[in-house]
Amino acid sequence: MPGTELFGTEERKEINDVLETGMLFRYNHDAQRNNHWKAKDFEAEVKKITGAKFAHAMSSGSTAVATALAASGIGTGDEVIVPPFTFMATIEAVLFIGALPVFAEIDETLCLSAEGIKKVLTPKTKGICLVHMCGGMADMDAIMKVVNEHQLILVEDAGQSFASSYKGTYTGLFGKAGSYSFDFFKIATAGEGGVLVTNDEITYKKADVYSDHGHDHQGNNRGMEQHPYLGFNYRISELHAAVGVAQTRKVPGIKEKNRKNKNLLVNELSKTPGISFARLADPEGDSATFLNIFLPDTEAAKRTVAEFNAIGLGGFNYWFTNMYHFINQWDHIKEMRTISKLPIEVLGAPQDYKNLHLPKSQEVVGRLISFGVRCTWTEQEMKDLATKISACVTKALKPVNA
Ligand SMILES: *Cc1c(COP(=O)(O)O)cnc(C)c1O
């Protein structure tokens, strides 16, 4: 959680600006707000880092990805290709806008692969909700080829990959719209928050309207604004946006330190037989929030996790058994346990979610262990960590009875 590691005076200053005027709402009240526009400033900071033409701050990464899908024209009954390895929110967003998730294979990039996407394409496929996982990025040249060839709508859930890029283009900006999360666990946090980005003005305007009950945000009489489309309330408050501003300004520094720290660990751990690393489609674009190590197979990874637990080593994720990040534990989707009927329950699921065959994803996630990289680590802390990881892996890989 690098953002939270650096919470300090800058964040407090931005919050105090808002507290001094009491103007907690992001729109209107021009006279009373003493020129403080934190949501707008937050958007400007995100644009500065990513080069996005448009950015729209919202209540969460989840609402940002749902809005990105809707503003891109994906809705009820549309088939959308998704990965089985992502934070749950991606799938929820697809379901809650009425669309139908179609699961495809990921590869060693930890993201959907072009090959995996091609295997599940049907004439009914409308789009892809691509997720850039663990601070890295998908293999965009290959994926864009499929997107263009089949004229698919690409939406990117870059919830975990703010500030990561592929060959100079920031994640979130390859498709029609993209989203970043600024929840408590990301490279920068707003407490709760998300930002939608796009280079397309019409998509941006739709997102702006949709996320605030249809308001077109023209003029200074909120009650008399036009409402070109139906919408809902996915607004961010000025208090959250204020934290987002200060945190986003720290991201270039965080990224630099993350990359340095991750590099040191990769160099140390490369010496240990049995350890390899997730593939970065563009190593230069890594935001380095996670050190993603591969063990030779799932059993070896499970034994390694047991060794970590035995010595009380924390700070890692074994996604394969995580309830919120991998399909094996998503029994609520498989059994469609909903509190009220979703469109998919009326329309029918495009795949048999209980019997999906995704051997590549099972293999990749099974042997993956991810450590959150901290930007405040000392060199000694990293050396100690590498020594512990290495010892645990070596012990886990030792042949039984040898
Ligand atoms: C964190 C995350 C989200 C959701 O973000 P929230 O701000 O927590 O709603 C969506 N997608 C991915 C891939 C994430 O990691």
Side-chain angles (χ1 to χ4, degrees):
M1 306 190 283
T4 59
E5 289 174 70
L6 302 182
F7 191 95
T9 49
E10 299 81 1
E11 284 76 6
R12 282 194 284 277
K13 190 252 163 210
E14 296 294 326
I15 296 168
N16 275 327
D17 285 348
V18 179
L19 294 180
E20 270 156 27
T21 64
M23 206 40 70
L24 311 178
F25 190 62
R26 70 163 294 179
Y27 298 111
N28 311 107
H29 309 95
D30 300 32
Q32 298 100 308
R33 62 195 312 137
N34 200 15
N35 263 323
H36 294 314
W37 298 91
K38 298 306 178 187
K40 282 190 208 267
D41 291 349
F42 186 18
E43 289 157 357
E45 293 298 333
V46 169
K47 285 192 274 189
K48 213 186 282 172
I49 287 181
T50 59
K53 282 201 188 120
F54 305 96
H56 184 56
M58 304 176 56
S59 55
S60 72
S62 303
T63 56
V65 66
T67 302
L69 288 160
S72 301
I74 293 174
T76 299
D78 292 333
E79 290 191 7
V80 180
I81 296 172
V82 295
F85 176 47
T86 177
F87 179 55
M88 199 62 232
T90 314
I91 316 302
E92 292 165 339
V94 170
L95 287 171
F96 289 9
I97 59 148
L100 314 173
V102 173
F103 291 95
E105 293 270 43
I106 63 161
D107 66 8
E108 286 80 1
T109 60
L110 312 181
C111 307
L112 283 171
S113 66
E115 217 176 286
I117 292 167
K118 277 193 254 177
K119 273 193 200 142
V120 297
L121 280 177
T122 73
K124 288 203 236 159
T125 310
K126 178 101 172 215
I128 304 173
C129 191
L130 179 70
V131 186
H132 300 283
M133 283 302 280
C134 300
M137 71 301 291
D139 200 340
M140 291 315 299
D141 282 348
I143 287 171
M144 289 316 290
K145 214 169 144 231
V146 185
V147 167
N148 293 330
E149 240 165 59
H150 297 270
Q151 299 190 317
L152 302 171
I153 298 173
L154 176 66
V155 171
E156 293 162 85
D157 180 349
Q160 306 191 359
S161 285
F162 176 53
S164 78
S165 60
Y166 175 84
K167 297 188 182 173
T169 300
Y170 278 78
T171 57
L173 291 170
F174 286 87
K176 194 130 180 166
S179 59
Y180 310 120
S181 165
F182 291 79
D183 76 17
F184 196 64
F185 307 97
K186 303 304 205 290
I187 189 164
T189 185
E192 298 285 359
V195 175
L196 177 148
V197 286
T198 178
N199 285 328
D200 177 48
E201 188 168 9
I202 293 170
T203 305
Y204 163 69
K205 287 205 166 132
K206 284 180 180 167
D208 178 52
V209 165
Y210 182 76
S211 59
D212 184 21
H213 304 295
H215 278 271
D216 72 352
H217 303 129
Q218 299 298 315
N220 54 15
N221 184 347
R222 189 162 161 86
M224 292 308 290
E225 286 178 15
Q226 297 299 305
H227 36 62
Y229 307 104
L230 273 169
F232 204 45
N233 176 9
Y234 292 154
R235 292 187 307 261
I236 191 168
S237 82
E238 285 286 277
L239 280 173
H240 290 93
V243 182
V245 172
Q247 284 268 300
T248 305
R249 287 185 184 136
K250 295 179 180 179
V251 165
I254 292 172
K255 183 171 150 185
E256 199 187 315
K257 289 210 181 73
N258 278 355
R259 289 179 58 88
K260 215 171 116 232
N261 291 351
K262 180 168 173 177
N263 227 343
L264 186 146
L265 285 168
V266 167
N267 284 339
E268 287 292 317
L269 293 171
S270 301
K271 300 170 199 155
T272 304
I275 293 183
S276 60
F277 304 93
R279 184 164 81 81
L280 286 158
D282 177 7
E284 294 308 308
D286 186 15
S287 66
T289 49
F290 282 101
L291 168 75
N292 301 300
I293 67 173
F294 282 138
L295 280 298
D297 54 49
T298 301
E299 287 315 309
K302 285 182 176 167
R303 287 200 303 274
T304 302
V305 168
E307 294 298 338
F308 289 160
N309 289 335
I311 62 162
L313 184 66
F316 68 90
N317 292 289
Y318 185 50
W319 308 112
F320 191 66
T321 56
N322 182 296
M323 296 297 284
Y324 292 88
H325 288 80
F326 192 51
I327 197 162
N328 287 10
Q329 281 71 245
W330 295 345
D331 47 299
H332 50 352
I333 285 195
K334 292 176 193 164
E335 291 159 20
M336 266 309 145
R337 291 204 308 268
T338 53
I339 60 163
S340 65
K341 212 178 273 181
L342 289 176
I344 193 168
E345 293 171 85
V346 178
L347 300 168
Q351 286 173 312
D352 176 4
Y353 296 146
K354 276 186 192 158
N355 296 296
L356 290 169
H357 185 62
L358 298 164
K360 179 73 183 176
S361 306
Q362 294 290 340
E363 178 242 298
V364 167
V365 180
R367 60 200 192 90
L368 172 69
I369 302 175
S370 303
F371 280 84
V373 172
R374 296 181 68 85
C375 60
T376 51
W377 268 333
T378 64
E379 199 159 322
Q380 193 56 49
E381 282 174 323
M382 289 186 276
K383 291 215 159 124
D384 289 348
L385 177 63
T387 304
K388 284 179 184 159
I389 295 174
S390 176
C392 288
V393 169
T394 304
K395 211 168 158 197
L397 295 186
K398 202 160 59 185
V400 193
N401 305 326

